[in-house]
Each structure stands twice: as C-alpha cells, then as structure tokens.
Amino acid sequence: MESGAPNSLLKEQATEEKGETARLSSFIGAMAIADLVKTTLGPKGMDKILQSQSRGQEVTVTNDGATILKSIYVDNPAAKVLVDISKVQDDQVGDGTTSVVVLAGELLREAEKLVNMRIHPQTIIQGYREALDCAVRTLQDLSVNNVDNPEKYKEDMLKIARTTLSSKILTNDKEHFSQLAVDAVLRLKGSTNLDSIQMIKKTGGTLSQSYLDEGFILDKKIGVGQPKRIENAKILVANTPMDTDKIKIYGARVRTEGMSQVGAIEQAEKDKMRKKVQKIIDHGINCFINRQLIYNFPEQLFSDAGVMSIEHADFDGIERLALVTGGEIVSTFNNPEDARLGECKVIEEIMIGEDKLIRFSGVALGEACTIILRGASTHILDEAERSLHDALCVLSQMATDSRVVYGGGCSEMIMSKAVEDLAKKTPGKRSLAMESFAKALRQIPAIISENGGLDSTELISQLRAAHVTEGCRDGIDILTGSVGDMTKCGINEAFKVKKCVLSSATEATEMILRVDDIIKCAPRQRDENMM
C-alpha cells in the first residue's frame, strides 16, 4: 500500500467519531437537552416560549417538558434519545416528562466524571443497574395503597392532582381544578380511556370559571328552523356528502342545448337528494349529525320532517359522539335495520360566553363528561388544557396502580440514602457508580429549590441530616422555602410515575454510555440520469 493512500472504509462525505470523542459528543448533547428543560422543573419552574417559523408564526407558551422537546429540532443523536424517553413518559403516564430528562442528564453528568477517572462504561452501567434495583425496592417499601378505603383513596387522588397542577399554569386555582379532574376520572369507574372526557376551550372569563358538565357538548350549531331541544333522542351519526342538490359550476362541465335542460339536471339532483334524505328519516331518528356539510335543500327537508340536523361536526367530535351515545358512524342508508343508532335523554342548545353549543345529556356511556375551560387568551387555554390533561392521565393510571409516594424530593432523598448504604457494602468500582447514582437523585430536590430561588446547598444538607432518622418524611416545602413534613403538606405523587421516571432515565443513560462510535452516513446524491 502506498504511504499516502487514505485508509477509510466509509464513503466520501461520511463522518465517524470514535472512542472518547464519540462519548464526549453524546454526553454534551444529552446534557444540553437536560439543561434546556431543567429550569421548568418544580412548582416555581419557568415557562418557555416556542415560536414556529412557518407562515402563521404560531406561539406556544409552556413549561411541559414533552411539549418543549417535541417542538424543537435536535441534531445530536444522544439528545434524540432523551427526547424519545420524554415522549414515551408522556404517552405512558402523562406526567414526569421533565423529571425523566433532568434525571437522565444528571446521571450522565456523574457518569462523565467516572469515565474521566478511567472507569469502564460497563462497570458504570452495572453499578447503575444495581442502584436502580435498590431504589425501586425502596420506593415500593415507601409507597402507600389506600384503594380499599374510598375516602382515603379520593383524598390521595386530590393530593396527587394538586401536586401535578402545582407546577403548571393552573397552580393558583389548583384546588378547583384538582376537584374537577378527580370528579371526571371517578366517573370513568376504573377505565383508563380518556376519550369520554372532552375539553372545550372558550376565551373569556377567568380560569376559575371553568367547570365540569355531565354529558357531551358539541361545539356546533343546530340547523335553521329546526327544534332547539329534543327529548329521548334517536341519533344517526354519519359521514356522507349532503351537498349534491345543485350543480357545482366550477367543478363540472355540462353541455346543454338550453337552460331548460340545466333545470332538468338540477331537478334530478334534488330528487336524488330528496330520496337520500327520506332514507335517513326512515331510520326512525329525530337527530342527524353529519361529518360533512349539509346544504340548504336537505336542511329544509329535515326541518319539514321535524328532525334536528347538525353539519360539519369535526371527525374527532363525531368519533367521540358515536362512542358516548352508543351509536356507529354510517355512510350508506339502504339497510336501516343494520344501523346502530345513538341515544340520549335530552339534546339542547346552550350558551357559553357568547357562543352557542349543543349539549347531549343522559348519554348511553354514563361516564361521559365535558370540562369547559375559560380563560383570557388562547395561549392560556392551550396551556391549561395540557396541564389538566397531565393530571387526568396520572389520575386515570391510578386505576391500574393506586400506590402513592411522597413528593417534594422526599422519595429521592430516601432512595439516595438506601443506594449510598448499598454502595458502602459493595466492593470494587461499582460502588463509585452507585454513589454517583445517589448523588444524581439528590439533584432533583436541589434543582426544585434552585428554581424557586432558594439556597439548594443549605436545604439539601438539612434534608440529608433529617433523613438519617428512620421514618423521616421531610422534603422541600417550596411555599415556605424550608424543609417540611410531606405528610402534613399533603405533597404526594403517583408511584407509577416515579417508577417510570427512574427506569426510563437509567435505561436511556445506559444506552448512551454504551456508545463508542458515531457514524454519520454520506448524504444521498441525486442521480443525474433521472433528471
């Protein structure tokens, strides 16, 4: 081989980072993502403004970790891993999206120090795994389950809802909204399907004027000249064109010998529509809801027959409406006996602010309800919806795992102490990894206090001293700016959320630690022969 010949297996323009360089690149990218959302953690966390560069220049104001991370473009592969675990956390339990990224970032920060001490990544991973097992066992021992006591179970749900909402825009009205969320979830009777809980946002008023309405509300208007209230409704939900009663001049080209023939074609279209409307009425209904438009002529026919018609219901709206009324969405009307109609006791038009909406009361799915959110602007309403959705997700997951643990950094301090005790008994370099895991756990209450403008060093040292005593339940009371008893403060979190944060953060850290080579493929070249 000639001395000057290149020794690369990769295609031109492909790049490769090896060993320490690859690991350093991964650490820096992941820690940068963690630092991005770190300031949003806790009750005093700050918000971020996300501005789209598209034509509308949409602006989102939020402190929800998953919303922030899925809105930004990330080029670093390790950073993408943290973005993914945040999305999974949001899909799985709904809350803890910021905590999981921050904890993963702190674990990587500690791992970087160990790697610089020439400790092999596999040794660090083994130590982290043993520390995780110890932390999860400690968390299970710490958890409390009151599912057999309905009063205490509801109180636990209220405490969890308050804790979840305290870090959101709804913190000033958390008592009101936590009661709303608990009432809505208790109607589900153990189900985790949130489709029967609808949220409608209406500008005007204040957040405290939001309320829970038993039944389903559709943000549409009833047709002209039709009944505004129907009792014992038989509802046909459809997705069918009801706009072919006239010739669309711009959509069709028709050659005729005179205007009389155009009139004949229009009459034929009207006759065809009249037959279709009659088939729909023959189902024995008194309410027709269509996904698509309903033109004036069929609307008039429905009015003459005394049938309420609602047009252009959005697809999510009629999907949910079919679910709660017990009906099916139909597209053909030749076999009335095969169509399953929806039912409800009363359909009526109501006013919310200055808007008219339609309420379906006494629906077949008894757990269906609607939360009406009021607020000063669309940005506030969007963030309120995200906040309340997080609380609903966490509370609904309590149906599968009703255990609760203490919040305010109390659980992290207890787990940290247990992991440190295990590290003292463990020989070898794995013990250093365990100590680093314990230190990363202590960073969660430290960051919460820092975001509240408190002295984190002083508070964490007080917490460590307090947790030497067995059975201590002290944590950060951010409202008083001091160490407080979490049982008296009523700061609880769902066990499932905390366990998911621990497991996901540790697994993501392991994945990034294993990396020793980053290969970026060459960009695909356009084939000139295809031009």
Side-chain angles (χ1 to χ4, degrees):
M1 183 183 291
E2 295 180 15
S3 58
N7 185 19
S8 175
L9 297 171
L10 302 177
K11 195 174 179 180
E12 189 180 356
Q13 292 186 322
T15 59
E16 182 180 21
E17 296 175 5
K18 287 187 175 183
E20 293 300 319
T21 309
R23 200 168 286 121
L24 184 63
S25 173
S26 298
F27 286 163
I28 289 172
M31 287 189 287
I33 281 289
D35 289 340
L36 176 69
V37 295
K38 185 190 288 186
T39 55
T40 67
L41 187 67
K44 300 286 186 180
M46 307 299 284
D47 287 1
K48 308 285 183 192
I49 291 182
L50 308 172
Q51 185 170 2
S52 168
Q53 291 301 312
S54 60
R55 182 181 296 177
Q57 297 250 328
E58 293 181 9
V59 172
T60 304
V61 184
T62 183
N63 72 345
D64 181 57
T67 305
I68 294 167
L69 294 179
K70 70 185 177 186
S71 302
I72 59 175
Y73 176 77
V74 178
D75 190 38
N76 186 284
K80 287 181 180 177
V81 172
L82 295 199
V83 173
D84 286 343
I85 64 168
S86 177
K87 288 178 183 174
V88 170
Q89 180 81 10
D90 192 37
D91 294 339
Q92 196 169 1
V93 288
D95 196 25
T97 53
T98 305
S99 302
V100 70
V101 175
V102 170
L103 181 57
E106 293 303 324
L107 286 171
L108 284 168
R109 208 181 301 275
E110 294 300 320
E112 186 185 20
K113 296 175 186 175
L114 296 177
V115 169
N116 292 336
M117 292 166 60
R118 300 297 175 194
I119 297 176
H120 196 277
Q122 292 293 353
T123 307
I124 301 171
I125 289 170
Q126 192 177 357
Y128 274 7
R129 278 189 179 172
E130 292 180 27
L132 174 65
D133 291 340
C134 174
V136 171
R137 283 197 305 271
T138 306
L139 195 66
Q140 287 173 340
D141 295 339
L142 182 65
S143 64
V144 179
N145 194 345
N146 291 319
V147 70
D148 296 327
N149 187 330
E151 288 185 8
K152 286 189 175 180
Y153 179 63
K154 187 175 180 181
E155 185 59 35
D156 284 345
M157 292 181 78
L158 283 168
K159 287 178 181 176
I160 287 173
R162 290 188 201 110
T163 305
T164 303
L165 295 173
S166 64
S167 61
K168 315 285 184 185
I169 195 173
L170 303 176
T171 181
N172 293 327
D173 301 300
K174 63 183 177 185
E175 291 291 337
H176 175 60
F177 280 99
S178 57
Q179 190 66 53
L180 278 187
V182 170
D183 289 346
V185 169
L186 286 176
R187 290 175 65 90
L188 296 179
K189 299 170 186 172
S191 170
T192 57
N193 183 10
L194 295 177
D195 286 343
S196 50
I197 300 176
Q198 186 192 21
M199 281 190 267
I200 288 181
K201 299 173 288 186
K202 287 292 174 186
T203 51
T206 61
L207 285 170
S208 59
Q209 291 175 342
S210 304
Y211 63 94
L212 178 74
D213 195 298
E214 297 183 2
F216 184 87
I217 294 179
L218 192 65
D219 194 359
K220 293 295 167 186
K221 294 180 181 177
I222 298 170
V224 178
Q226 294 175 356
K228 304 298 183 187
R229 177 185 170 89
I230 290 179
E231 296 184 0
N232 300 319
K234 300 287 184 183
I235 306 164
L236 182 63
V237 185
N239 182 15
T240 185
M242 299 293 288
D243 55 355
T244 55
D245 58 304
K246 59 180 75 174
I247 297 176
K248 296 181 176 67
I249 299 299
Y250 299 106
R253 187 173 181 181
V254 181
R255 293 192 179 189
T256 63
E257 295 178 358
M259 287 304 294
S260 60
Q261 290 183 343
V262 176
I265 294 171
E266 284 194 344
Q267 188 59 44
E269 291 283 347
K270 284 192 173 185
D271 291 342
K272 183 179 170 185
M273 179 55 68
R274 186 178 281 107
K275 289 177 183 177
K276 186 173 184 178
V277 170
Q278 191 56 49
K279 283 182 181 179
I280 292 170
I281 295 171
D282 288 344
H283 282 68
I285 62 167
N286 50 15
C287 179
F288 176 68
I289 301 173
N290 193 26
R291 164 73 181 84
Q292 301 179 41
L293 288 170
I294 301 176
Y295 270 20
N296 296 343
F297 180 63
E299 187 176 74
Q300 182 61 43
L301 295 176
F302 283 125
S303 298
D304 294 343
V307 174
M308 178 191 291
S309 65
I310 302 165
E311 67 172 358
H312 218 239
D314 59 285
F315 198 76
D316 288 340
I318 65 163
E319 284 272 348
R320 193 180 272 121
L321 186 60
L323 171 73
V324 300
T325 58
E328 284 182 347
I329 301 171
V330 296
S331 299
T332 57
F333 312 100
N334 293 325
N335 301 310
E337 66 279 0
D338 295 335
R340 199 167 81 194
L341 302 180
E343 295 180 357
C344 77
K345 291 181 180 176
V346 179
I347 302 176
E348 58 188 342
E349 193 173 66
I350 61 169
M351 290 281 290
I352 297 177
E354 297 179 355
D355 298 326
K356 292 180 180 178
L357 298 92
I358 305 165
R359 178 168 61 195
F360 297 77
S361 306
V363 291
L365 192 70
E367 52 261 35
C369 60
T370 304
I371 297 174
I372 289 87
L373 294 174
R374 306 301 308 279
S377 72
T378 54
H379 301 115
I380 291 174
L381 287 175
D382 289 342
E383 180 65 358
E385 182 186 25
R386 283 189 289 269
S387 305
L388 195 56
H389 182 264
D390 285 357
L392 291 171
C393 286
V394 174
L395 293 174
S396 66
Q397 290 298 323
M398 285 192 71
T400 57
D401 192 340
S402 54
R403 289 175 288 180
V404 297
V405 293
Y406 298 103
C410 173
S411 301
E412 283 82 0
M413 294 304 295
I414 294 172
M415 289 188 288
S416 172
K417 181 175 180 290
V419 172
E420 279 187 332
D421 291 343
L422 177 64
K424 291 173 185 175
K425 303 172 190 172
T426 305
K429 295 179 180 178
R430 286 174 299 143
S431 62
L432 296 175
M434 292 178 187
E435 288 173 1
S436 295
F437 192 97
K439 190 175 179 182
L441 284 173
R442 287 198 299 273
Q443 285 301 309
I444 298 293
I447 292 166
I448 290 172
S449 55
E450 279 176 10
N451 289 345
L454 307 176
D455 186 349
S456 60
T457 309
E458 174 67 23
L459 288 174
I460 297 303
S461 61
Q462 288 180 21
L463 274 179
R464 289 191 72 179
H467 279 279
V468 170
T469 309
E470 285 294 326
C472 176
R473 297 293 179 262
D474 283 0
I476 304 286
D477 185 354
I478 204 78
L479 297 178
T480 61
S482 60
V483 172
D485 189 343
M486 294 296 100
T487 52
K488 294 178 182 176
C489 296
I491 301 175
N492 285 6
E493 293 184 57
F495 170 82
K496 191 172 183 179
V497 172
K498 194 70 80 176
K499 185 184 175 185
C500 281
V501 167
L502 277 175
S503 304
S504 299
T506 309
E507 287 171 10
T509 305
E510 285 181 19
M511 180 182 287
I512 294 169
L513 271 172
R514 289 177 187 276
V515 174
D516 72 340
D517 205 341
I518 298 175
I519 301 170
K520 291 186 180 179
C521 299
R524 189 170 146 196
Q525 301 296 322
R526 182 177 292 180
D527 191 349
E528 294 182 2
N529 296 327
M530 298 293 290
M531 297 295 288

